[in-house]
Amino acid sequence: EKGGYDYFMLKEIAEQPQAVADTLLGRLTETGEIMLDEVRLSDQDLRDVDKVFIVACGTAYHSGLVAKYAIEHWTRIPCEVELASEFRYRDPVLDRSTLVVAISQSGETMDTLMALRHAKEQKARVLAICNTNGSTIPRESDAVLYTHGGPEIAVASTKAFLTQLVACYLIGLHLAQVRGVKYADEVAAVVAQLQEVPDKLRTVLGAMEPVRELARELSTAGTVLFIGRHVGYPVALEGALKLKELAYMHAEGFAAGELKHGPIALIDQGTPVICVVPSPAGRSVLRDKIVSNIQEVRARGARTIVIAEEGDEAVLPFADHVIYVPRTPTLLAPLVTSVPLQVFACAVADARGHDVDQPRNLAKSVTVE
Ligand code: F6R
C-alpha cells in the first residue's frame, strides 16, 4: 500500500506532481479562464467582497500565508491570514462583504470549524478549501473548492500543502478575473505558469539525493534555522514545522529581515541556516536583501544551505550548500521551494530513527480545540 516506499510520506511527496495536476484539472479553460464550479457564490457576491480572511492551522495556515501575497497582488482586496485557534477569540470585524476562506486537509479540524462557525454567525461568506469530500468544514461552508490530492495518510502534510497552494492561487485568480482588475494579462500568464508546475516538480524530485545526504549529515545538529522573505517566509515556517514534528529537533523559521532584531543572536559556529532565495528575475530588491541576510549569518559562523533557482550563481560565494530548483515566478515559487524542505525533514527524521508517518504526540486530524 506504500507503493514500494518506506513511508507513506515518501509516497505522498512523490505524488505531488500528479496531485497538483489533478487539482488544476478541469478548472482552467483553454483560453486561460478559471472555472470553479463547486464555488456556489455568484460573481456578484465575489464582486462585493471587500476583505478576505484566511483561517487555518499548522501547514494549512502556512499555505494561507502564501495566498495572502498572491490574493492581494492580483485582486487588490485586503487579505488577512489568521490562526483558526485565535480568530474567534479576538472579535474580528466581519460582515456580509467579508470572504472567509477556511483551509483544511481533513475538513474536521475543530479550531478551523469553530472559526468558520463564528464567521457565519457574523454573516460572512465562507469558502472552504478541503481535501476530504463531504467532511464537516465543506458541509458547513457556503462554497467549497476541493483539492484533488487524494488521501493523505502520513501525519505530516505534504501533497495537501501543495494542493492547498494551488487552490488558493485559483481562488485569487478567479477573484481577479471576476472583478476585472488591471492584472488581467498577468492572470492569463499565471494560468500558463501554473500548468508547468507538475513538470517542474518532477525535476525537483529527481534531484533530491544531495538533500538526503545533507540531512543525514545534519541529523545531529542542535537547532536548524530557516529564513525567507516575501513568499519565502511562509516556506521557511513550513520547513521548520516539518522538521520539528518529524525529527523532534529545535527548528525555527524567520522572516530574514527580522534576524537583526533578535534571532541572529542564536547563530553560532556551524548553526545550519536554510535560506529560501527568490528568483533573480523577479523582485530584485527582495533578492538583494536576502543575499545580504545570508552574508550576515555566514559572517557569524552559520553553515548556509541555500535554495535558489537554477542558474543563479550569485549566491555561490555565500552558500556552503546550494539546492537548485527550476525557475518559477516569485508568487508560485513555494510550490517548488517547499519540496526540498519536506524531503530534508523526512530524511533527518529517518536518520534519527523516528517513525516518519506517525510522529509522537500527533494525530492526523485534530478534532479537539
Ligand atoms: C503538519 C500538519 C498539521 C495540519 C493541521 C491542520 O504537517 O499536518 O499542521 O496542517 O493540523 O490540519 P487540517 O488541514 O486537516 O485542518
Side-chain angles (χ1 to χ4, degrees):
E1 59 198 21
K2 291 179 194 155
Y5 292 94
D6 289 344
Y7 300 109
F8 281 109
M9 184 178 175
L10 289 171
K11 175 173 177 266
E12 289 160 5
I13 288 173
E15 284 169 351
Q16 292 182 115
Q18 192 61 48
V20 166
D22 288 347
T23 301
L24 290 170
L25 193 72
R27 286 171 169 163
L28 303 170
T29 66
E30 271 170 20
T31 52
E33 263 130 55
I34 321 262
M35 296 190 308
L36 303 175
D37 303 326
E38 310 92 323
V39 177
R40 296 174 300 271
L41 289 170
S42 69
D43 285 0
Q44 192 53 51
D45 290 338
L46 294 178
R47 277 191 279 272
D48 288 343
V49 169
D50 62 10
K51 171 133 198 187
V52 178
F53 268 111
I54 300 177
V55 293
C57 306
T59 290
Y61 169 71
H62 296 154
S63 74
L65 290 177
V66 173
K68 174 187 167 83
Y69 292 86
I71 290 175
E72 287 197 342
H73 179 67
W74 293 330
T75 69
R76 313 312 297 156
I77 308 171
C79 173
E80 286 187 36
V81 192
E82 190 138 347
L83 290 167
S85 55
E86 290 291 324
F87 185 68
R88 73 190 172 115
Y89 297 106
R90 66 167 188 85
D91 197 14
V93 181
L94 302 165
D95 60 35
R96 266 171 219 291
S97 51
T98 312
L99 179 68
V100 172
V101 180
I103 309 176
S104 175
Q105 188 287 129
S106 61
E108 301 296 345
T109 300
M110 190 56 76
D111 287 316
T112 310
L113 180 60
M114 297 313 276
L116 172 170
R117 286 183 181 158
H118 181 76
K120 285 192 79 178
E121 276 162 24
Q122 309 293 310
K123 310 284 182 243
R125 319 242 178 211
V126 180
L127 165 59
I129 292 177
C130 186
N131 196 45
T132 312
N133 265 301
S135 54
T136 312
I137 288 171
R139 268 204 328 266
E140 294 200 14
S141 298
D142 297 309
V144 49
L145 182 63
Y146 282 107
T147 51
H148 296 157
E152 192 179 63
I153 311 284
V155 164
S157 211
T158 55
K159 63 176 179 172
F161 178 64
L162 259 61
T163 59
Q164 283 159 356
L165 290 175
V166 171
C168 288
Y169 292 133
L170 288 173
I171 286 169
L173 293 168
H174 185 64
L175 277 172
Q177 278 184 341
V178 167
R179 299 162 66 92
V181 293
K182 61 177 178 176
Y183 287 101
D185 291 351
E186 197 175 326
V187 170
V190 177
V191 167
Q193 289 152 352
L194 269 174
Q195 308 271 30
E196 293 170 11
V197 168
D199 275 342
K200 290 182 180 176
L201 286 170
R202 284 183 199 103
T203 305
V204 174
L205 291 168
M208 285 295 96
E209 193 42 42
V211 174
R212 286 187 283 268
E213 236 165 71
L214 185 64
R216 287 188 285 269
E217 220 179 288
L218 296 179
S219 64
T220 54
T223 184
V224 179
L225 306 180
F226 295 74
I227 62 172
R229 277 181 182 260
H230 195 262
V231 290
Y233 168 42
V235 172
L237 294 176
E238 175 60 9
L241 176 62
K242 284 284 156 300
L243 198 60
K244 281 179 237 190
E245 67 176 331
L246 296 171
Y248 322 150
M249 269 165 102
H250 177 247
E252 267 192 85
F254 300 108
E258 276 298 291
L259 281 176
K260 59 185 175 300
H261 300 290
I264 200 163
L266 288 167
I267 303 211
D268 205 347
Q269 208 54 43
T271 305
V273 180
I274 302 190
C275 316
V276 185
V277 176
S279 167
R283 290 139 218 268
S284 58
V285 183
L286 184 70
R287 183 189 144 72
D288 294 349
K289 293 246 164 80
I290 192 154
V291 170
S292 80
N293 296 139
I294 298 171
Q295 279 174 273
E296 280 157 22
V297 296
R298 198 138 183 266
R300 287 159 181 86
R303 179 169 176 181
T304 55
I305 298 120
V306 174
I307 303 189
E309 257 187 20
E310 245 160 31
D312 182 354
E313 286 177 7
V315 296
L316 291 174
F318 318 112
D320 294 300
H321 310 268
V322 186
I323 300 162
Y324 281 122
V325 294
R327 289 190 70 161
T328 310
T330 305
L331 283 170
L332 305 186
L335 287 168
V336 292
T337 52
S338 55
V339 174
L341 305 187
Q342 301 168 343
V343 172
F344 179 77
C346 189
V348 172
D350 186 50
R352 288 163 73 98
H354 301 320
D355 179 346
V356 171
D357 286 337
Q358 296 284 344
R360 68 182 182 199
N361 309 339
L362 292 171
K364 182 67 184 162
S365 147
V366 184
T367 52
V368 289
E369 250 192 293

